[in-house]
Amino acid sequence: YGHAALHLAQLASRFTAAVALKGAGGASTRTRAALAHARCVRPEGGLAAVGSDSSSTRRTARQWPWSPAARDASTSSTTPHARAERGGGGFLPDSEPSRPPQTQRRQGPRPVKKRFNGDVALDPRALRDKRRDDEGQRLSKALAALGVASRRASEELIFAGRVQVNGVTVTMPQHAVSTSRDVIAVDGKVVQGGLESLGDAGHLYFLLHKPKGYLCSSKPAGAGARARDQDRLVLDLFEDWREGWRKKHPGKLPPRLFTVGRLDVNTTGMLLVTTDGQWCQRVAHPSSQIPKSYIVTAATRPTKAQIKKMAEGCEVDGTHVTPLRVESMEGARDGGPAHRILVDVVDGRNREVRVLSASAGVDVKKLKRVRVGGLRMPSELPIGKYMTLKPHQVGYVLDRGLAMNEKAADATGGMMGKVY
């Protein structure tokens, strides 16, 4: 226990000496600790008595560089002015002075400040429109954007010499024009409106409940069939919308509408109609892998072998296609007839579902499309009526994750509920 007792005695001596020096004005903590150590430890390493006034203790205190005497002697040399002359800038007397970093000199010419010209505040759509006006676009494309006709029909009008630009007849569809600077006329009548009239509203997107007996085309099959009130067009169902547009924008043509994909004349159900050509291409092209759901109503109750045969696929237009899903709707929640089959396809080929059914020996009585991508046709939408899609519903169409997740589709509810 001898070493432990010696250590405790040293600690007690240091604490007592520090308390005794607490009243020394201006003495730092390091000075008090050094003086306490000098009073309690002899130069030979022995322990001094606490509070002793022996000569060795006093000599040790005088020799210690941080003793009060040494502090008083060096007061004149430790003033701020003296420290600045000596160069001490840190905690230690011989440390280097701290100076702020020097600013680097500029290399090369002075940079030119960017001036505000208005383009900085434009959104991407406005920038694209401005670039298109500056560079110009094909005359046939401009006519289609103005709502005159499709690009192919616009080219026929140009070749026929019926289109004038700034009073001059133009017969080349590739002629560059600007709808904001040039005056375009067809048969002497100035053309205005179309997509240019939409402005910041962007494109239009509709969902139509297609009835039976309507063609997904911009023109009828023939004048005779049109006269017999056959092969009516699905775009005729938007005539009330066109009338409202003309009243709201007098003297301007309404934007040209076209269908996203096609349904044959005897197929009913969900049909998308829009003015956005790029969005239409993404939805309709097979490379996007957007599933479409159909309900096949058979004349008789389908067997398991027939459903399995349909799931294996068949050849359509010279290519073997396989549906994503083929299921019987027997015992569906809507309580409908049991002789119905749910078919999901992504190819979108002409009469694909009907060919699949015929290959399995299923006699199709009715065919209805109920879903495109992640968007389902609302059950409360009457036949022959349409609704304007909201931005989030437009995004549902291209959402393949929502399209393949039945639980998410059920959770949406409301206008997105199932129609089975």
Side-chain angles (χ1 to χ4, degrees):
Y1 301 97
H3 293 286
L6 178 62
H7 183 64
L8 291 176
Q10 290 178 354
L11 293 178
S13 300
R14 293 182 183 181
F15 178 78
T16 305
V19 172
L21 292 175
K22 184 178 181 181
S28 62
T29 304
R30 184 182 296 179
T31 304
R32 293 196 299 268
L35 185 58
H37 183 73
R39 286 186 174 183
C40 63
V41 179
R42 296 180 183 275
E44 297 81 8
L47 180 64
V50 178
S52 64
D53 294 331
S54 62
S55 60
S56 62
T57 304
R58 289 195 299 271
R59 184 170 60 254
T60 305
R62 288 194 300 270
Q63 294 176 353
W64 193 262
W66 293 98
S67 62
R71 185 200 66 204
D72 297 338
S74 61
T75 301
S76 60
S77 63
T78 57
T79 59
H81 182 69
R83 286 197 301 270
E85 292 180 353
R86 191 169 59 248
F91 292 101
L92 300 179
D94 57 346
S95 61
E96 294 292 334
S98 58
R99 299 185 180 88
Q102 295 183 358
T103 304
Q104 296 182 358
R105 298 180 61 87
R106 174 174 49 83
Q107 301 291 337
R110 185 183 300 274
V112 180
K113 293 184 179 180
K114 184 178 181 180
R115 298 185 179 276
F116 183 81
N117 56 2
D119 293 345
V120 181
L122 296 178
D123 57 355
R125 178 182 176 85
L127 287 174
R128 185 173 62 252
D129 295 341
K130 183 177 182 299
R131 190 183 308 111
R132 183 184 59 188
D133 291 339
D134 295 340
E135 299 176 357
Q137 57 180 328
R138 292 170 58 93
L139 179 58
S140 59
K141 184 177 180 180
L143 290 175
L146 291 172
V148 176
S150 62
R151 292 192 186 184
R152 185 174 299 177
S154 299
E155 292 178 356
E156 295 177 358
L157 293 175
I158 297 172
F159 289 138
R162 300 172 57 184
V163 181
Q164 298 84 32
V165 178
N166 299 328
V168 180
T169 302
V170 179
T171 58
M172 294 185 299
Q174 65 271 21
H175 181 78
V177 296
S178 174
T179 56
S180 61
R181 297 191 304 264
D182 299 327
V183 179
I184 303 174
V186 177
D187 295 334
K189 184 178 180 180
V190 178
V191 179
Q192 293 181 345
L195 295 178
E196 304 295 335
S197 302
L198 296 177
D200 298 335
H203 289 281
L204 300 175
Y205 305 89
F206 300 99
L207 189 156
L208 171 68
H209 191 168
K210 177 187 174 300
K212 186 177 181 180
Y214 282 79
L215 281 177
C216 296
S217 178
S218 58
K219 58 183 179 180
R226 186 71 169 180
R228 294 192 303 269
D229 198 23
Q230 297 178 358
D231 295 342
R232 294 164 293 181
L233 304 180
V234 294
L235 297 181
D236 295 342
L237 300 173
F238 290 87
E239 191 59 34
D240 57 342
W241 175 82
R242 294 191 185 93
E243 292 296 333
W245 174 272
R246 294 188 183 97
K247 292 181 180 179
K248 189 175 180 179
H249 304 85
K252 295 184 179 181
L253 293 176
R256 190 176 68 90
L257 301 177
F258 46 87
T259 61
V260 181
R262 294 186 178 186
L263 294 177
D264 60 65
V265 65
N266 294 323
T267 303
T268 63
M270 179 177 177
L271 181 65
L272 299 175
V273 180
T274 183
T275 60
D276 191 348
Q278 294 182 357
W279 183 76
C280 174
Q281 180 69 12
R282 290 184 60 187
V283 176
H285 201 272
S287 61
S288 300
Q289 296 293 309
I290 301 299
K292 291 90 174 174
S293 298
Y294 295 83
I295 293 181
V296 178
T297 303
T300 58
R301 185 173 181 177
T303 62
K304 294 183 178 180
Q306 289 176 327
I307 295 177
K308 183 178 179 181
K309 179 65 176 178
M310 291 180 61
E312 294 175 354
C314 66
E315 186 174 343
V316 180
D317 293 338
T319 304
H320 184 84
V321 296
T322 303
L324 289 179
R325 179 176 58 169
V326 178
E327 294 180 358
S328 174
M329 296 189 64
E330 183 178 358
R333 293 177 300 174
D334 60 352
H339 50 274
R340 293 180 301 169
I341 305 173
L342 176 63
V343 182
D344 288 353
V345 296
V346 295
D347 298 274
R349 297 182 180 274
N350 184 27
R351 304 175 62 87
E352 179 179 357
V353 179
R354 293 185 182 273
V355 175
L356 287 171
S357 302
S359 65
V362 177
D363 186 12
V364 178
K365 185 178 180 181
K366 295 181 181 179
L367 182 60
K368 181 179 181 180
R369 183 160 68 182
V370 296
R371 177 169 64 92
V372 176
L375 183 66
R376 293 180 177 272
M377 189 179 66
S379 57
E380 57 268 27
L381 184 63
I383 298 178
K385 300 297 181 180
Y386 61 88
M387 57 176 287
T388 303
L389 295 181
K390 298 179 180 179
H392 70 278
Q393 294 175 322
V394 177
Y396 286 162
V397 177
L398 296 174
D399 192 344
R400 290 189 296 175
L402 181 62
M404 304 306 296
N405 191 345
E406 291 295 334
K407 294 182 180 180
D410 295 340
T412 53
M415 296 292 290
M416 297 289 296
K418 281 193 173 183
V419 297
Y420 297 163

